[in-house]
Amino acid sequence: MASRDRAMIDSYDLLATAVLLLDDKGEVVHANNSAEELFGLSRRQLKSLSVAVLFGPDPILQGRFQEALQGRFGILRQDSTIRAPGGQSISVGLALVPLDHQPWAALLEVRGFDQHDTLDRTLQLTRELSVQRESLRNLAHEVKNPLGGIRGAAQLLESELGDSSLQEYTGVIVAEADRLGALIDRLIAPQGEGLATTQFNVHEVCERVYTLVKAEYANQIEFVRDYDASVPDIEGDQPRLVQAFLNVVRNAAQALTEQRNPDPEAPPCLTLRTRIGRQLTLARQTVRLGVIVSVIDNGPGIATELREKIFHPLVTGRASGSGLGLSLAQEFVQQHGGVIEFDSRPGHTEFRLILPLEQS
């Protein structure tokens, strides 16, 4: 095999999706690492198998495979199911691409629908948040001016009242106006601001956040730091990333201390973990290399009714929460070309802040 072809085959092992290289009979010539994991078979077992066998007794699909190998469809896209190693059926999407002037007749990509769903959810969330933020900011600007007038009038009234006991009420008006003004400032702040980028190590951000949150919850939570020392430096707006990480970590700490733990015997634990991710599909691009910062807690998990809108502004599961922390965190990470994902069940909630390092 030519060195160029060998290098191409080796590159497929870096992909997170299953790739099978086929001959003109539709038999497997090569399978990458992800294909071995997906089908639960080694490369040796997959080699020379007819690709139609891998997708069950579907005569229509088998016929279309042969036609696709001959280039009839251009690229054949088809939904199907496979039998996973554990015995359960998994829905997958297929893309069979005929190859010209290559040692192989075609390339078959097999992607689980969970990966499609994650990407679709991310894109949908990005669109929804963009519309909601714009609407909230427009509303915030409309509220800010009359709110300033109310505060100013209350202060004038307070000065006219002298030492009257009625000053207590004007004080309440001023305090509440200030509270609403601060909330509005938080809604408006990120709009249109450019990133002040510098180069730094993501662990500097993690340690800063760890120090701040530990100072608040030192006697209530066990903290674990699990860092990958090989993570290279990143470029970004460090203050914004500190704020994004802090919002997520503090949210986890509040969940651990304010809600009932599903396992009373397990002490509240919060883990900060960093890893390098390869071939990551983000909302706007595919990146060859990225850093994944995971915030993991063993708390009660996110309520089912909140999961689809947890990043929406003003949505919160806490009685005293503003509902802006996770929304702003998502916005700041997206401004860096990244995304925040999460998985949650009672006893384990993991937020993953994913930032690109190298584009594909």
Side-chain angles (χ1 to χ4, degrees):
M1 182 180 294
S3 59
R4 181 181 64 86
D5 296 335
R6 171 53 60 187
M8 185 180 297
I9 284 178
D10 290 342
S11 69
Y12 291 134
D13 285 334
L14 300 176
L15 300 178
T17 53
V19 171
L20 302 171
L21 296 174
L22 311 178
D23 62 17
D24 55 5
K25 298 178 183 177
E27 294 180 353
V28 178
V29 177
H30 174 77
N32 70 348
N33 290 336
S34 296
E36 291 183 289
E37 294 177 9
L38 182 64
F39 292 102
L41 299 171
S42 68
R43 293 182 189 181
R44 181 172 298 180
Q45 291 171 312
L46 285 168
K47 192 171 182 179
S48 299
L49 271 182
S50 171
V51 70
V53 173
L54 296 173
F55 299 96
D58 186 341
I60 296 177
L61 180 59
Q62 292 182 18
R64 297 194 77 191
F65 271 133
Q66 290 302 319
E67 293 174 327
L69 287 168
Q70 298 166 12
R72 178 170 176 180
F73 299 107
I75 297 177
L76 169 66
R77 300 186 187 278
Q78 177 91 24
D79 295 339
S80 185
T81 58
I82 64 169
R83 187 69 62 182
Q88 73 274 24
S89 294
I90 298 178
S91 296
V92 294
L94 314 178
L96 193 148
V97 184
L99 302 176
D100 293 325
H101 310 296
Q102 298 287 341
W104 317 284
L107 179 150
L108 177 64
E109 181 187 27
V110 187
R111 185 189 295 266
F113 277 126
D114 58 334
Q115 294 172 293
H116 285 300
D117 292 344
T118 298
L119 179 58
D120 289 343
R121 285 197 302 270
T122 301
L123 291 172
Q124 180 65 21
L125 175 64
T126 301
R127 289 191 290 265
E128 289 177 357
L129 291 182
S130 178
V131 172
Q132 290 182 1
R133 286 169 187 148
E134 190 62 31
S135 298
L136 280 172
R137 284 167 180 153
N138 290 337
L139 177 61
H141 280 293
E142 292 298 320
V143 171
K144 196 172 180 64
N145 289 334
L147 187 63
I150 292 171
R151 187 185 191 282
Q155 286 180 312
L156 289 174
L157 180 59
E158 186 176 44
S159 64
E160 293 293 326
L161 290 173
D163 295 331
S164 170
S165 60
L166 295 176
Q167 280 189 332
E168 176 184 350
Y169 302 110
T170 57
V172 170
I173 296 172
V174 171
E176 288 302 294
D178 288 341
R179 185 179 66 83
L180 289 175
L183 182 64
I184 288 170
D185 288 339
R186 290 180 67 189
L187 287 172
I188 296 173
Q191 185 177 28
E193 295 181 1
L195 298 177
T197 60
T198 57
Q199 193 168 55
F200 54 91
N201 194 280
V202 73
H203 297 132
E204 297 175 27
V205 177
C206 293
E207 283 296 284
R208 172 87 176 275
V209 170
Y210 162 74
T211 301
L212 291 171
V213 178
K214 186 178 181 182
E216 292 183 60
Y217 297 94
N219 299 321
Q220 303 175 63
I221 297 174
E222 176 185 342
F223 290 89
V224 176
R225 289 171 290 171
D226 178 10
Y227 298 157
D228 182 350
S230 68
V231 173
D233 289 352
I234 63 174
E235 285 192 4
D237 189 317
Q238 189 169 1
R240 290 198 194 188
L241 290 180
V242 167
Q243 187 63 57
F245 287 24
L246 181 61
N247 288 359
V248 176
V249 174
R250 184 171 282 152
N251 188 74
Q254 290 166 345
L256 285 169
T257 56
E258 296 179 7
Q259 302 179 45
R260 187 173 181 178
N261 196 310
D263 183 1
E265 300 298 321
C269 180
L270 195 156
T271 300
L272 274 175
R273 185 176 70 196
T274 61
R275 293 291 186 269
I276 291 177
R278 303 181 188 278
Q279 295 302 323
L280 301 170
T281 301
L282 303 180
R284 300 173 186 172
Q285 60 184 337
T286 298
V287 297
R288 190 174 71 85
L289 208 62
V291 58
I292 303 173
V293 180
S294 296
V295 180
I296 306 166
D297 70 74
N298 63 343
I302 299 170
T304 303
E305 62 272 16
L306 292 179
R307 294 186 184 185
E308 294 299 320
K309 52 186 178 181
I310 192 69
F311 293 112
H312 291 192
L314 307 182
V315 172
T316 179
R318 299 173 55 238
S320 58
S322 67
L324 291 176
L326 291 180
S327 176
L328 288 174
Q330 182 72 268
E331 179 167 5
F332 286 149
V333 171
Q334 287 183 351
Q335 287 173 354
H336 288 78
V339 70
I340 303 179
E341 302 174 349
F342 75 93
D343 295 312
S344 183
R345 63 180 185 274
H348 182 92
T349 295
E350 178 177 352
F351 279 83
R352 293 179 295 277
L353 298 90
I354 307 174
L355 296 167
L357 290 173
E358 295 181 18
Q359 296 187 10
S360 296

